[in-house]
Amino acid sequence: MHFVVSDGIQRSILILRLSSMKKLFGLLSILLLVAGAKAQFNLGFKHLDQIAVVHGPDTLNFPWAGGLNNPQFSSLDVNIDGLNDFYAFERDGEVTRIFLRDANGGFSADMTSHKLLPKLDGSFVLFRDYDGDGKKDIFSSGYNNFGFDVHRNISDTSLKFDLIKQSLTYSRLGASSLYFTVPSNDLPAISDFDGDGDLDVLVQGQVDLTPFVLLYIENQSMDLYGTADSLKYRLVNPCWGHVREYISQTGWTEFVCDTGRAANQRLRHGGTTLTSLDLNNDGIVDLLTGDSYNPYLRSLVNVMDNVDAEIDLTLSDTTFPVYNQPAILPNIPAAYIEDVDGDGINDMLVAPNQLTDGATSFFDTSITKEVDWYYRNTGSNLNPNFELESAGFFSGEMIDVGARSFPAMVDLNGDQLLDLILGNEGYTVYGGTAPASLTFYENVGDSTNAIYKLQDENFANLKTYGYGYIHPTFGDLDDDGDNDMVIGTDQGILHLFRNDGTSQSPLYVLDEANYAGIDYDLSTHPFLFDLNLDGLLDLIVGDYYGRFHYHENAGTPEEHDFSMNATLFKMGNVQTFQTFGGESSVYFTRQLDSIGTNLYILQSNADGTILVYGPISDYTLDL
């Protein structure tokens, strides 16, 4: 077979930002592909959220919303209906999740309004009303986390933003100005500390010119101009609270402020989240903080003044809220004080801020399931009492198989309905990573209305093999009427699992490890498909470098035969590592147009892009 991607074969690109999210999103995603010269390539897919998914007795509210790993939450009126919706900046992949509030207080996932927002990336995104017009503006990290970028909310009948400050700086008395610097796992506190109507900032000092304590940077807008909209910042207190992080362990310690000396940048371990609020109704701003190597929130109680603060560490709650259920969210938890239930009193959402280092056993990882804990405030805004209502308030309503997802559709019980199998990279746990597994959702609907019910989170008991990830593909390789399974792994090899059960009740047994000797070094993503139309399932294997390779089945219906060497190595000369991050996972089909014989290839990549090649009709077969 000769296969070349030529100018006559159109390629369209859709950036979904799904793979780096490590969640299920691409299965039923928006897929709007720009048509080329040929009319038959007018593909048009839209996101579907009507397909029900059932976990136990519960039907998930937004199963296809894509999952969450490290969300940063802000409330925002997205659809300009007077109700506060929720925006989540998902750090893992730098993508947006939006949840619209309805009149009854419920939420639905909005998969289109993110288009109304500017491109936002970096270490943080927080919505705060800096100009006092009642519309929340955007504070986000600047380029390479230097400075803040600020977008003003100029919405009228629809959501609109205008970039008004880029790489925001602050001045210092008798010294040069500095960028606001927020390292990748930090989160600043942005609120009106001094009560004058403009937004001040509390961050950790990060450069050699400032010690690694809390820096109170005051907005001078009201003082200078009598309005809140100028974003004129000055360092007022270079040692707010008289505390600093421990150097070699988690937590805080008293610090005798000596701001005249430079600090050694190596003396600080990374990762601190800061959230400001009054915890005890004394009119003084306190803090909730998250820290490296620690799953707990800690309160820092201020006993002095909002500007000239003094933290009394003897009053700290090191497992906040100790009076209820402490939040346990590895790693570097962050608190978001927002009105979740719409009663006018600010509640608390807690989520891990440190990015997960997937497929490793490193200690400093974040959990990857039920990552948002909702605490209802049964007290008041000035004297809060946070009570845990839900672990996984948003994330628990989605399909979430931990780190990454590799979906396959196959009829596993012979009822002529396609079931859903999801491979993954395991569920990250604090201090390590759990083995990869397969999750089985049975289609319990009918031919016109699918309903997916969770049946098994360790399908075929593949956890026992300890694979780093599992990417499954299914097909009948021995002509016995049931589906066998080939899986790709992080080791660059394949494994064959023979179905020793039936088409109604499968039983998968490892038949051949290192299947056919096929080895592509770092990762493999297999797909079974009859490419040469000889009635036998061939094998296409995507790899780490963004290539995909064709292995022809030279056997018989009863006896498959694949060579360790590709029949076509690097099909079409495609390699996406430099442009789209590689990790090629492919889907071949002849069912995307009305002709029914044209071949189309969909290739997903590590950065979330999906490339579509086709229609391909002018290749020749060497039989």
Side-chain angles (χ1 to χ4, degrees):
M1 174 180 288
H2 306 292
F3 183 97
V4 178
V5 176
S6 65
D7 291 338
I9 298 173
Q10 304 163 52
R11 183 174 77 178
S12 292
I13 301 171
L14 170 70
I15 298 180
L16 289 177
R17 297 294 178 194
L18 59 94
S19 295
S20 55
M21 262 295 298
K22 302 178 183 176
K23 300 287 179 176
L24 179 69
F25 186 52
L27 183 66
L28 294 172
S29 293
I30 303 171
L31 192 61
L32 300 177
L33 300 170
V34 180
K38 300 182 180 179
Q40 66 218 37
F41 197 57
N42 286 333
L43 302 180
F45 293 81
K46 65 179 181 180
H47 182 271
L48 297 178
D49 57 8
Q50 298 90 351
I51 297 177
V53 176
V54 178
H55 283 191
D58 301 321
T59 299
L60 302 186
N61 287 332
F62 19 86
W64 311 105
L68 296 168
N69 279 356
N70 304 103
Q72 296 174 345
F73 291 103
S74 298
S75 62
L76 172 72
D77 187 358
V78 174
N79 52 0
I80 320 297
D81 63 352
L83 301 175
N84 271 332
D85 311 302
F86 268 84
Y87 167 93
F89 174 65
E90 174 50 67
R91 295 194 62 214
D92 191 350
E94 298 177 346
V95 295
T96 290
R97 297 283 182 261
I98 292 175
F99 305 95
L100 298 180
R101 188 195 302 269
D102 61 35
N104 297 318
F107 290 94
S108 61
D110 179 353
M111 307 304 294
T112 60
S113 293
H114 66 278
K115 300 174 186 177
L116 302 175
L117 294 167
K119 177 176 171 51
L120 300 169
D121 51 27
S123 65
F124 80 92
V125 175
L126 295 171
F127 283 74
R128 301 287 188 268
D129 180 12
Y130 83 88
D131 56 4
D133 65 354
K135 295 181 288 189
K136 287 196 173 183
D137 312 295
I138 305 173
F139 286 76
S140 61
S141 54
Y143 180 72
N144 281 341
N145 293 329
F146 285 101
F148 292 170
D149 291 346
V150 182
H151 290 78
R152 184 168 179 261
N153 190 334
I154 57 171
S155 302
D156 40 40
T157 58
S158 63
L159 196 63
K160 299 174 186 175
F161 291 90
D162 184 29
L163 178 63
I164 54 95
K165 286 288 184 181
Q166 196 164 16
S167 298
L168 189 64
T169 62
Y170 62 91
S171 64
R172 298 179 297 155
L173 184 63
S176 60
S177 295
L178 293 175
Y179 290 110
F180 286 92
T181 305
V182 180
S184 60
N185 285 321
D186 279 21
L187 190 69
I190 303 174
S191 64
D192 185 7
F193 278 75
D194 58 3
D196 66 352
D198 53 29
L199 292 181
D200 311 301
V201 178
L202 193 71
V203 295
Q204 291 238 31
Q206 298 297 321
V207 297
D208 288 340
L209 297 176
T210 57
F212 297 106
V213 292
L214 296 175
L215 307 182
Y216 170 67
I217 303 170
E218 191 171 275
N219 192 341
Q220 303 288 292
S221 182
M222 290 296 294
D223 301 306
L224 295 175
Y225 311 112
T227 62
D229 59 0
S230 295
L231 297 172
K232 192 79 171 180
Y233 284 98
R234 179 170 66 89
L235 177 61
V236 169
N237 186 347
C239 192
W240 194 90
H242 294 184
V243 292
R244 62 154 294 160
E245 284 184 308
Y246 276 117
I247 295 170
S248 59
Q249 57 184 302
T250 188
W252 295 79
T253 184
E254 294 179 358
F255 185 69
V256 178
C257 298
D258 176 10
T259 57
R261 63 177 173 83
N264 187 340
Q265 189 169 2
R266 293 174 296 176
L267 292 181
R268 178 184 181 252
H269 63 272
T272 298
T273 62
L274 304 172
T275 303
S276 59
L277 74 166
D278 185 355
L279 286 170
N280 51 12
N281 200 25
D282 62 358
I284 302 174
V285 174
D286 309 301
L287 294 179
L288 293 176
T289 74
D291 198 4
S292 297
Y293 315 112
N294 195 322
Y296 296 104
L297 284 176
R298 175 190 291 258
S299 67
L300 298 181
V301 179
N302 182 6
V303 296
M304 186 66 69
D305 181 79
N306 289 342
V307 176
D308 298 318
E310 184 79 35
I311 299 297
D312 186 346
L313 291 176
T314 66
L315 301 177
S316 291
D317 176 356
T318 59
T319 56
F320 186 86
V322 70
Y323 55 80
N324 189 250
Q325 168 62 53
I328 310 174
L329 287 128
N331 197 346
I332 317 182
Y336 304 92
I337 308 303
E338 300 282 359
D339 184 5
V340 177
D341 57 8
D343 65 355
I345 301 174
N346 286 332
D347 308 296
M348 181 173 68
L349 288 167
V350 186
N353 197 54
Q354 178 160 314
L355 288 176
T356 297
D357 196 342
T360 75
S361 58
F362 291 165
F363 184 73
D364 54 340
T365 56
S366 293
I367 60 171
T368 52
K369 192 175 183 182
E370 295 181 343
V371 297
D372 52 326
W373 288 23
Y374 162 45
Y375 288 81
R376 184 170 180 267
N377 186 354
T378 60
S380 66
N381 286 335
L382 297 180
N383 193 23
N385 186 75
F386 296 117
E387 297 184 359
L388 181 64
E389 286 280 319
S390 172
F393 181 69
F394 289 114
S395 61
E397 298 295 335
M398 311 177 197
I399 293 178
D400 190 334
V401 294
R404 308 180 76 180
S405 64
F406 305 103
M409 309 294 293
V410 59
D411 180 9
L412 281 177
N413 54 6
D415 62 358
Q416 308 304 309
L417 302 177
L418 289 177
D419 306 302
L420 175 60
I421 292 288
L422 298 172
N424 72 357
E425 198 178 65
Y427 292 95
T428 305
V429 295
Y430 189 48
T433 300
S437 60
L438 294 179
T439 299
F440 169 38
Y441 283 88
E442 182 185 0
N443 187 346
V444 296
D446 54 40
S447 59
T448 57
N449 293 292
I451 300 173
Y452 289 102
K453 183 176 178 62
L454 177 64
Q455 297 289 15
D456 192 344
E457 293 185 276
N458 185 23
F459 181 74
N461 198 30
L462 292 197
K463 278 186 181 181
T464 59
Y465 295 92
Y467 300 130
Y469 74 68
I470 300 172
H471 190 154
T473 185
F474 293 85
D476 188 357
L477 292 174
D478 50 13
D479 200 31
D480 64 351
D482 55 33
N483 285 300
D484 306 297
M485 176 173 64
V486 176
I487 67 168
T489 69
D490 57 319
Q491 297 174 337
I493 58 178
L494 306 174
H495 305 291
L496 170 63
F497 284 80
R498 185 184 66 253
N499 187 351
D500 277 356
T502 66
S503 59
Q504 292 79 32
S505 181
L507 176 64
Y508 287 99
V509 177
L510 180 61
D511 183 67
E512 184 179 342
N514 193 11
Y515 182 42
I518 296 171
D519 189 341
Y520 287 107
D521 282 338
L522 297 175
S523 61
T524 48
H525 303 281
F527 186 70
L528 288 167
F529 181 78
D530 183 6
L531 183 60
N532 58 3
L533 299 173
D534 65 350
L536 302 177
L537 287 174
D538 305 303
L539 185 60
I540 299 97
V541 183
D543 70 13
Y544 174 82
Y545 302 101
R547 308 169 300 189
F548 48 96
H549 319 282
Y550 166 55
H551 292 257
E552 182 181 357
N553 189 346
T556 66
E558 297 81 13
E559 187 76 27
H560 48 91
D561 183 10
F562 296 106
S563 170
M564 65 182 296
N565 298 312
T567 310
L568 285 178
F569 180 82
K570 197 163 74 167
M571 294 182 72
N573 203 34
V574 171
Q575 184 166 334
T576 64
F577 184 81
Q578 293 295 328
T579 50
F580 302 109
E583 285 289 358
S584 175
S585 178
V586 294
Y587 184 87
F588 282 52
T589 182
R590 294 186 176 92
Q591 299 177 356
L592 283 188
D593 62 27
S594 58
I595 297 176
T597 57
N598 288 325
L599 177 68
Y600 292 86
I601 304 170
L602 287 78
Q603 177 193 19
S604 69
N605 298 278
D607 71 345
T609 56
I610 292 179
L611 309 182
V612 180
Y613 307 89
I616 303 169
S617 58
D618 58 353
Y619 58 86
T620 61
L621 305 180
D622 292 336
L623 300 177

